[in-house]
Amino acid sequence: MEDVTAVETMSVKDWVITLIITAIPFVGVIMLFVWGFSSGQNQNKANWAKATLIVVLIAVVLSILFSLLFGALIFSGLNSY
């Protein structure tokens, strides 16, 4: 049998505060790293922070790729005139 450690459930108030903090530019990203990788954090919040960082990283990479792709297409289109 697995040894399951009980993790305290975060309240709605805790989640609202967490979401408000992550909405603050720059501070939110820094706090995601703090919550995700510091010891002593609620395991649910730590996992959520890590998942959010992964999604943000994927979004940034895709944004850069699409910007380069469409920028090259627009530049080549304007260059042909």
Side-chain angles (χ1 to χ4, degrees):
M1 226 174 167
E2 275 185 49
D3 181 27
V4 179
T5 305
V7 176
E8 186 178 330
T9 304
M10 288 182 56
S11 68
V12 173
K13 175 184 154 192
D14 292 336
W15 279 115
V16 170
I17 292 170
T18 300
L19 292 173
I20 289 171
I21 291 172
T22 56
I24 301 170
F26 302 111
V27 174
V29 175
I30 293 168
M31 289 307 296
L32 286 174
F33 280 103
V34 170
W35 291 328
F37 300 106
S38 68
S39 60
Q41 275 300 327
N42 183 302
Q43 191 61 42
N44 293 318
K45 185 188 272 189
N47 288 338
W48 172 80
K50 290 173 189 174
T52 302
L53 285 169
I54 291 169
V55 170
V56 167
L57 179 65
I58 291 169
V60 167
V61 168
L62 287 176
S63 296
I64 291 170
L65 288 175
F66 283 130
S67 296
L68 290 174
L69 175 70
F70 290 119
L73 288 172
I74 291 171
F75 184 72
S76 68
L78 290 176
N79 213 12
S80 65
Y81 287 112

